[in-house]
Amino acid sequence: MSGMSDSLVIARRNVTRMVRIPEVLVFGLIQPIMFVVLFSYVFGGSINIPGGGHGPSGYREFLMAGIFAQTVTFATAGAGAGIADDMHKGLIDRFRSLPMSRGAVLTGRTLADLVQTALTLVVLAVVAVLVGWRTHENVASVLAGFALLLLLGYAFSWIGALIGLTVRTPEAATSGGLIWLFPLTFISNAFVAVKGMPTFLQHIAEWNPFSATVAASRELFGNTNGQAVKSVTGAWPMEHPVIASILWSVLIIVVFHTLAVRKYRSATA
């Protein structure tokens, strides 16, 4: 309970800073909104989705789960940069000298990032509705889809925490947090159907934890476009995307929480 209390104090500190510097949230919204508009109107009329027809409306329903997932995972770079900035300024050393839980600083930071990610998703969902995205399931199912997206974002924030503790500058944390995310998000089912990829990439894409959450969200949103075949390679995560999404996210949290806390205990500014 003491550790949770310490974590909430740190989370409140980071949320307060976010409120006082609103441009961080505003600029964080620009990129995903641009992706929604550009992919919907530029590529939507040229990409044929199996079972979804050929045209912008079918592609938008296919696309949005991928954009949502990309948005929550790209928050990794911000989490890493924030922690690296605290390290650079010596704030982490001051926290480490206090009688508080060792993991509270990192847990509080990731919880604050989760709040920011949730706000971003709300705004992005409104924009998606405005460009023509619709869900076809009940409210509980749709909320469950967003919950899985937030769980994935929280899991990836722990990867960002480890990166932020490992590098020396916020700039390096931003680069280190993004460079591996591009292949992870694009070698997936987020933007195009896996069926059109080379065989070896199909296997990678369908075992990608990012793909599992995208597929689970589409299923819970009712945006599957009537696709009869969930997996082209028979991959278990694509056949059971909701369960796979939860398992992947929990595994990432357990592994990177452990590594980040261990790194925090030995980190120096």
Side-chain angles (χ1 to χ4, degrees), residues 165-259:
L165 290 168
T166 303
V167 301
R168 296 184 179 181
T169 65
E171 293 79 9
T174 300
S175 299
L178 287 176
I179 193 170
W180 57 275
L181 279 173
F182 278 101
L184 182 79
T185 55
F186 280 93
I187 305 177
S188 72
N189 59 0
F191 306 113
V192 296
V194 173
K195 186 177 181 180
M197 298 180 183
T199 303
F200 76 98
L201 285 183
Q202 290 178 356
H203 289 279
I204 295 174
E206 295 202 331
W207 281 93
N208 184 343
F210 182 83
S211 293
T213 299
V214 172
S217 298
R218 283 196 186 116
E219 186 173 293
L220 292 169
F221 294 155
N223 293 155
T224 55
N225 296 317
Q227 297 180 57
V229 179
K230 292 184 177 181
S231 170
V232 297
T233 66
W236 184 86
M238 294 297 99
E239 297 292 340
H240 308 86
V242 175
I243 298 175
S245 174
I246 295 172
L247 291 177
W248 272 122
S249 294
V250 170
L251 178 62
I252 292 170
I253 291 171
V254 170
V255 171
F256 285 92
H257 174 276
T258 302
L259 294 175

Side-chain angles (χ1 to χ4, degrees), residues 17-157:
R17 186 170 68 170
M18 178 182 69
V19 172
R20 292 176 178 175
I21 313 176
E23 55 266 29
V24 174
L25 180 61
V26 173
F27 290 144
L29 284 169
I30 293 176
Q31 179 177 303
I33 290 175
M34 287 176 60
F35 269 101
V36 171
V37 175
L38 290 175
F39 274 80
S40 296
Y41 292 108
V42 177
F43 300 115
S46 304
I47 298 178
N48 185 25
I49 300 302
H54 183 81
S57 59
Y59 184 61
R60 285 187 197 112
E61 293 201 356
F62 177 87
L63 170 71
M64 286 316 305
I67 294 291
F68 291 149
Q70 183 192 55
T71 300
V72 300
T73 53
F74 271 40
T76 301
I83 290 176
D85 186 51
D86 287 344
M87 286 281 293
H88 187 67
K89 293 177 178 177
L91 186 61
I92 294 295
D93 279 345
R94 276 176 270 173
F95 282 140
R96 292 175 66 216
S97 68
L98 296 174
M100 60 190 298
S101 170
R102 287 298 189 186
V105 173
L106 301 181
T107 302
R109 176 76 206 198
T110 54
L111 288 175
D113 290 333
L114 182 63
V115 172
Q116 181 175 343
T117 301
L119 293 174
T120 303
L121 273 184
V122 170
V123 176
L124 197 56
V126 172
V127 174
V129 170
L130 292 176
V131 300
W133 173 65
R134 297 293 183 269
T135 59
H136 305 285
E137 293 290 345
N138 57 54
V139 174
S141 181
V142 172
L143 291 177
F146 281 112
L148 287 182
L149 290 165
L150 289 174
L151 181 62
L152 180 71
Y154 183 69
F156 273 63
S157 68

Side-chain angles (χ1 to χ4, degrees), residues 87 92-93 96 165-166 260-269:
M87 286 281 293
I92 294 295
D93 279 345
R96 292 175 66 216
L165 290 168
T166 303
V261 172
R262 184 178 299 173
K263 183 67 177 178
Y264 173 80
R265 287 172 176 168
S266 60
T268 56

